[in-house]
Amino acid sequence: MKTTTSFAIHRELLSNGLRVVVSPDPSAPVVGVAVVYDVGFRSEPQNRTGFAHLFEHLMFQGSEHLGKMEHAQRVNGAGGVLNGSTHPDFTNYYEVLPSTALDLALFLEADRMRAPALDQDCLDNQCAVVKEEINVNVRNAPYGGFPWIALPAVLFDGWATSHDGYGSFEDLEQATVEDCKDFFQHYYAPANAVLVVSGDVEVDEAMRLVHKHFDSIKKRPAPKRPSFAEPVPTTVRHRVHTDPMAPEPALALGYRVPDPIKAKPDYFAAVMLTEILTAGDASRLVERLVLTEQAATSVQGYMGPFGDPFEMRDPTWLTLEVHYPHSTDTTKLIALIDEELVRLAEGGVTEIEIARVRTALDAGWFSRMDQLVERTLQLGQLELIHGRAELVNEIPLLLRAVSAADVQAAAQRLVNSGRALLEWQAGAAQ
Amino acid sequence: MSAIPSAGMPKPATLPKVTEQTLGNGLRVVAARRAGVPLVNVMIRIPTAGKPLSRVRSRMLEGSMMLGTTTRDAVHLAGDLQVLGSELSVHADTDRIVLSGVTLANGLPGFLEITADVALNAAYPSREVVGEKERVRSDLAYMRSRPGAKADEAMSRRLFGDHPYGAPLPADSALDKVSASLLRRLHAERVVPKGATVIIVGDLSPTQLIGEVDEAFAGWRGEPEGSPIRRAKVRTPSGLELVDRPGSVQTVLMLSGPAVPPGHEDEPALALANMIFGGYFSSRLVANIRERNGYTYSPRSQIHQRAAASFLTVQADVATGVTAPALLEMQYELGRIASLPVTDAELDSAKAYLIGTSAIALSTQAGVTAALTRLAAFGLPWTHVRDHGRAVAKVTAAQVRAAASRYLAPTALTAVAVGDAGLVRHDVAAIYPLD
């Protein structure tokens, strides 16, 4: 039995600064192509909330050689799937297609990296689409934006991390074509991106095609990335919000965690801590709150706004999200959570407990990396954020290296720090 | 640098070689090898459609089956699974109960022992079942507050009436009637090996995989009270049911009607018609109400194939202020595909997409497991994947139009809208008869 995966990684740097990662895997006749740009909603201008995400939409609206829906049509018509997403620290774009379509995929990504269309009609149209995206996911849904939009607003003071990355309708409507062109010039330089080619490819042929399509994109400087660092809170920041659509209450606790790049061992300890606390029925908080006390309906714990522990730079956070019935007293619920956190901080974890969580994490990682879309995107973001695509194979080993003492230390750091406490009250008529 | 590279037609998907064996207790085991990751995927499908389970009973079975066995409580069950690097979950609905999971390959014997423990010895401890009931109650309250779920509830009743498919959101009073002893009785009656199928896909030889299942489930006994599945009629009452949700900033528009099961002669043509109409991003529905008009974010048309009926649903969540215009465009696109032939470009694109994405789906263990489970559910041969791909490739524009005029015509579908009735009723009534 293998101790971890051994996905091959080949790395090159083009003269225009584009980082290229090629990861062959001949087991199925499919290829994944992704471009990860080093700009996310933390970097958008302060009077343009939601801009990075709106811009992501515009990258699908045509480019020098392609009409408005043509990128998607060509991928779909080749038998492939595509999408993109905007995160706090990057924006990714991908397609997965039959291996015969690699040349096409690289052409498509190069064409929009070189010259996306960016015109007023598309801007107006996608502004309307983004508003409906916000409506369906946030404004017309119970628990909309809870806690991924609402919790950072409580935990952080710096605008970059605390603001709403989906954006306000007012700000979205203010976006101009000039804003788009500036944003593109500034942030979408090849030197500010990682290109991933994975799946049924050979390195030589993949690189030949990469050079063919991307060499002609002129070099321009990558922007200097500002630091978004801010002090860790030392107090409890308590906020109460009433959601008119939510039928039952919920609670989100936010804790700052160590720097995922500069303090890797401590960060990985925090990742393990999250699993020990919340992964499955045998975890500390699920067992106590859901099964034993029957005080909560569900408990989840995860890193950052979207739950991928390896996608964020500092500052980042751990979220504990608890949904509970009206019959549970909120203060008692918080006391139960604190009791379990302190119990772990003072008593530590057993070797058996940490061993089974390690194994579960391994299996989960292998399962996810079996999916070509996931693996392609992870390769790109690990290279971009951590400078090391090889982490795709190494993460299980790093997690296994976390000791029981490390987890206990992480719990102690948690318990002794400030936190955000967001009460989400049920406003829907019963 | 002006020529856009061509991609050619994608190659059809292929399943790995499938080996099957029916065990002495009637349990059918279907195994295939797929290397790559050191995992094994398992799905145990127990059909219940012959005597359909109500939604509330299936939901309670699903949520309670892993609350304990005669030798392990919920926490031990979860812990023992983690030790092996395994996950196991139970899903149940009207048609079937599925135990599905994935494990590190070297944990397979232990994983199967635990799965068998759940299947044979689930205990439904009283206190834990009470806790699960409250969680289901919370879940139902959450679903009722979601406009999409409200639309689905109204449409299900509209399509299926009193059939169990017609009630996806049971009332709290139905939940109150479910007890631990009822669940134990249901489990003893329904969770039986005869008629059930185990799909197992992993980086081991099929003989080895079948052998492990045989060893773990040797003690499993029982026969279902089977009756053949009675087809559920799909009704399409004319008119639109408007469900009021005051203050909604969007209206959920839903149009549904009959479709066909896998293996039906119309299925390849309908799959393509649906794809061109609204089944993928490059569809007419997306081009119109999202990319041209900006009315919505993710409009779609999907075919649902269940054990007792197949149906299709067109859905778009649109800004309240454009409810009527959006509905008009949806009707227009339905009418257009039902009345006029699709272009060669549209047909080729949809074919390539269906064939290509099928191949992508089969490139993972999880995808192979799901595909084999679906084939088993509908009693289709393993060659169906290849045959379906060939059939899709041969479909003509005339056949697409025939399928569209039968299944995607505006008059073939019934309608539901969930939104702020005060704001939308008048405009909607002008273009579509209300109930």
Side-chain angles (χ1 to χ4, degrees):
Chain A
M1 145 58 194
K2 294 179 242 182
T3 51
T4 187
T5 49
S6 50
F7 296 111
I9 312 261
H10 172 91
R11 190 187 271 97
E12 270 194 45
L13 182 68
L14 299 191
S15 53
N16 56 18
L18 179 66
R19 282 156 283 177
V20 184
V21 172
V22 182
S23 179
D25 169 21
S27 64
V30 286
V31 289
V33 171
V35 184
V36 188
Y37 292 91
D38 202 337
V39 60
F41 51 83
R42 287 212 252 217
S43 300
E44 59 202 10
Q46 286 203 23
N47 58 350
R48 293 281 186 270
T49 56
F51 190 85
H53 172 238
L54 176 61
F55 189 84
E56 180 227 308
H57 274 246
L58 291 182
M59 284 290 280
F60 288 89
Q61 293 292 306
S63 48
E64 190 182 343
H65 296 96
L66 300 165
K68 180 176 146 93
M69 284 189 76
E70 210 179 333
H71 180 110
Q73 279 164 353
R74 289 199 176 258
V75 173
N76 285 163
V81 297
L82 74 160
N83 212 333
S85 57
T86 312
H87 298 247
D89 288 331
F90 61 82
T91 305
N92 61 26
Y93 303 84
Y94 74 85
E95 40 278 313
V96 170
L97 332 88
S99 6
T100 46
L102 178 59
D103 194 7
L104 171 68
L106 291 170
F107 170 85
L108 296 172
E109 287 302 339
D111 207 55
R112 63 177 168 183
M113 185 187 286
R114 186 183 302 104
L118 304 180
D119 66 63
Q120 189 64 50
D121 283 346
C122 292
L123 179 57
D124 292 342
N125 166 245
Q126 291 302 305
C127 184
V129 171
V130 166
K131 285 184 194 171
E132 294 319 309
E133 181 180 350
I134 295 168
N135 277 341
V136 75
N137 288 333
V138 180
R139 296 176 70 235
N140 210 40
Y143 312 103
F146 174 81
W148 74 272
I149 296 175
L151 187 62
V154 183
L155 184 57
F156 292 92
D157 295 323
W159 184 87
T161 311
S162 67
H163 81 275
D164 174 4
Y166 248 165
S168 70
F169 281 25
E170 295 74 22
D171 281 359
L172 289 168
E173 286 161 13
Q174 294 299 312
T176 65
V177 170
E178 276 314 299
D179 292 337
C180 296
K181 290 182 173 162
D182 286 344
F183 194 81
F184 172 75
Q185 271 302 110
H186 197 67
Y187 289 111
Y188 276 66
N192 207 36
V194 172
L195 166 69
V196 181
V197 183
S198 67
D200 188 22
V201 300
E202 284 181 10
V203 173
D204 290 344
E205 176 62 5
M207 285 313 305
R208 183 185 74 77
L209 291 170
V210 168
H211 281 292
K212 168 180 157 194
H213 293 296
F214 288 87
D215 275 353
S216 62
I217 303 178
K218 275 166 57 173
K219 184 182 172 96
R220 61 187 192 276
K224 262 173 104 125
R225 200 186 320 118
S227 164
F228 299 126
E230 59 177 269
V232 175
T234 51
T235 58
V236 178
R237 297 157 167 233
H238 193 158
R239 193 168 301 177
V240 180
H241 175 86
T242 302
D243 178 349
M245 279 181 262
E248 291 194 332
L251 189 63
L253 286 86
Y255 295 89
R256 291 284 298 278
V257 293
D259 188 320
I261 297 164
K262 296 190 186 133
K264 251 191 188 57
D266 287 349
Y267 181 71
F268 273 69
V271 173
M272 281 296 290
L273 172 65
T274 312
E275 296 294 299
I276 298 253
L277 284 172
T278 63
D281 285 358
S283 66
R284 296 289 180 105
L285 290 178
V286 177
E287 181 181 352
R288 182 77 192 277
L289 302 180
V290 178
L291 295 176
T292 306
E293 304 289 340
Q294 294 185 358
T297 314
S298 69
V299 179
Q300 292 167 271
Y302 48 89
M303 294 303 196
F306 305 130
D308 181 339
F310 309 113
E311 75 164 49
M312 298 287 285
R313 293 192 178 100
D314 185 75
T316 184
W317 68 99
L318 184 168
T319 300
L320 295 177
E321 180 184 338
V322 185
H323 290 258
Y324 58 101
H326 288 283
S327 53
T328 296
D329 177 82
T330 308
T331 311
K332 289 212 176 96
L333 179 65
I334 297 168
L336 282 175
I337 295 168
D338 283 339
E339 215 177 278
E340 286 300 320
L341 293 176
V342 165
R343 185 165 78 85
L344 203 160
E346 289 179 355
V349 299
T350 66
E351 278 306 320
I352 292 175
E353 190 176 12
I354 197 171
R356 62 175 164 76
V357 171
R358 277 188 198 121
T359 314
L361 277 172
D362 277 1
W365 185 257
F366 296 150
S367 221
R368 282 178 61 204
M369 292 305 107
D370 192 29
Q371 311 286 329
L372 188 61
V373 172
E374 280 259 28
R375 189 162 84 239
T376 308
L377 291 174
Q378 274 295 336
L379 285 165
Q381 75 196 42
L382 290 170
E383 183 71 7
L384 191 86
I385 300 289
H386 295 271
R388 195 164 169 78
E390 287 82 355
L391 281 166
V392 77
N393 298 317
E394 293 163 0
I395 278 167
L397 302 170
L398 290 168
L399 287 168
R400 275 181 230 152
V402 176
S403 69
D406 295 332
V407 173
Q408 186 171 8
Q412 283 162 359
R413 277 193 292 273
L414 200 91
V415 158
N416 292 319
S417 71
R419 65 183 176 185
L421 204 152
L422 174 63
E423 278 186 58
W424 202 260
Q425 292 188 344
Q430 298 311 301
Chain B
M1 176 65 273
S2 55
I4 298 173
S6 69
M9 217 20 164
K11 285 203 293 277
T14 47
L15 280 176
K17 178 167 168 302
V18 176
T19 307
E20 55 175 300
Q21 188 180 320
T22 301
L23 307 179
N25 57 8
L27 182 65
R28 181 176 167 223
V29 189
V30 174
R33 179 177 206 145
R34 199 181 185 286
V37 282
L39 300 171
V40 178
N41 270 259
V42 180
M43 264 197 206
I44 304 176
R45 185 181 188 278
I46 303 162
T48 58
K51 196 179 162 196
L53 280 168
S54 74
R55 188 70 193 106
V56 74
R57 289 181 174 196
S58 62
R59 178 66 182 83
M60 279 301 298
L61 268 178
E62 169 182 292
S64 309
M65 203 182 293
M66 289 184 62
L67 289 175
T69 68
T70 47
T71 50
R72 291 173 165 112
D73 66 20
V75 173
H76 280 106
L77 209 45
D80 288 353
L81 284 165
Q82 276 185 324
V83 163
L84 300 166
S86 312
E87 285 169 17
L88 177 66
S89 55
V90 180
H91 304 278
D93 64 17
T94 305
D95 294 340
R96 90 286 186 258
I97 299 166
V98 165
L99 281 75
S100 81
V102 58
T103 180
L104 287 170
N106 66 353
L108 181 61
F111 168 76
L112 289 175
E113 184 271 310
I114 296 170
T115 307
D117 191 25
V118 171
L120 277 70
N121 308 316
Y124 301 94
S126 300
R127 184 181 183 271
E128 281 69 18
V129 167
V130 165
E132 177 63 18
K133 244 200 211 182
E134 293 316 303
R135 290 190 287 278
V136 171
R137 205 182 300 278
S138 290
D139 202 40
L140 290 172
Y142 169 58
M143 295 298 271
R144 289 186 201 108
S145 65
R146 294 176 67 211
K150 292 295 286 179
D152 183 58
E153 182 186 34
M155 183 57 83
S156 297
R157 192 175 51 242
R158 210 166 168 77
L159 294 176
F160 294 110
D162 287 336
H163 187 277
Y165 288 170
L169 289 185
D172 274 6
S173 54
L175 187 58
D176 290 335
K177 295 195 186 110
V178 180
S179 65
S181 60
L182 171 67
L183 294 174
R184 283 177 215 129
R185 177 170 69 74
L186 281 174
H187 187 105
E189 281 171 11
R190 305 304 199 117
V191 183
V192 293
K194 192 157 165 72
T197 309
V198 179
I199 313 288
I200 180 164
V201 178
D203 193 4
L204 291 167
S205 81
T207 316
Q208 214 173 336
L209 294 170
I210 294 174
E212 295 286 359
V213 173
D214 194 359
E215 178 153 344
F217 288 90
W220 199 14
R221 294 276 176 273
E223 294 197 18
E225 272 181 48
S227 18
I229 297 171
R230 272 201 330 270
R231 308 234 54 81
K233 186 167 160 50
V234 179
R235 297 182 197 119
T236 50
S238 61
L240 182 148
E241 180 176 336
L242 179 54
V243 179
D244 189 20
R245 189 169 177 270
S248 289
V249 295
Q250 285 187 327
T251 305
V252 180
L253 292 170
M254 202 178 260
L255 302 165
S256 294
V260 296
H264 191 283
E265 61 177 353
D266 289 349
E267 203 265 345
L270 178 56
L272 287 168
N274 185 69
M275 192 60 69
I276 294 166
F277 168 72
Y280 65 156
F281 191 82
S282 300
S283 64
R284 293 179 172 188
L285 189 65
V286 172
N288 184 330
I289 62 175
R290 174 180 149 138
E291 291 292 292
R292 187 156 78 240
N293 284 299
Y295 291 157
T296 186
Y297 169 62
S298 66
R300 60 217 175 258
S301 178
Q302 290 170 308
I303 295 172
H304 303 276
Q305 292 159 325
R306 309 200 56 189
S310 295
F311 59 100
L312 62 85
T313 295
V314 184
Q315 179 175 342
D317 299 21
V318 307
T320 296
V322 296
T323 300
L327 181 56
L328 191 60
E329 296 297 334
M330 288 162 81
Q331 292 291 93
Y332 165 69
E333 293 299 347
L334 287 165
R336 188 160 75 96
I337 199 167
S339 325
L340 292 161
V342 300
T343 65
D344 287 344
E346 285 177 307
L347 187 54
D348 287 345
S349 174
K351 284 180 181 178
Y353 184 77
L354 266 179
I355 292 167
T357 52
S358 175
I360 291 172
L362 291 178
S363 69
T364 64
Q365 267 191 21
V368 171
T369 309
L372 291 174
T373 304
R374 184 169 173 273
L375 293 172
F378 287 100
L380 294 166
W382 313 125
T383 48
H384 177 80
V385 170
R386 180 202 66 200
D387 294 344
H388 185 258
R390 288 181 184 162
V392 162
K394 289 206 200 100
V395 171
T396 64
Q399 286 167 327
V400 168
R401 181 167 161 210
S405 72
R406 191 162 168 195
Y407 302 101
L408 282 168
T411 49
L413 309 177
T414 187
V416 164
V418 176
D420 191 324
L423 294 177
V424 310
R425 169 173 280 120
H426 176 265
D427 288 354
V428 171
I431 60 159
Y432 203 112
L434 300 187
D435 270 358

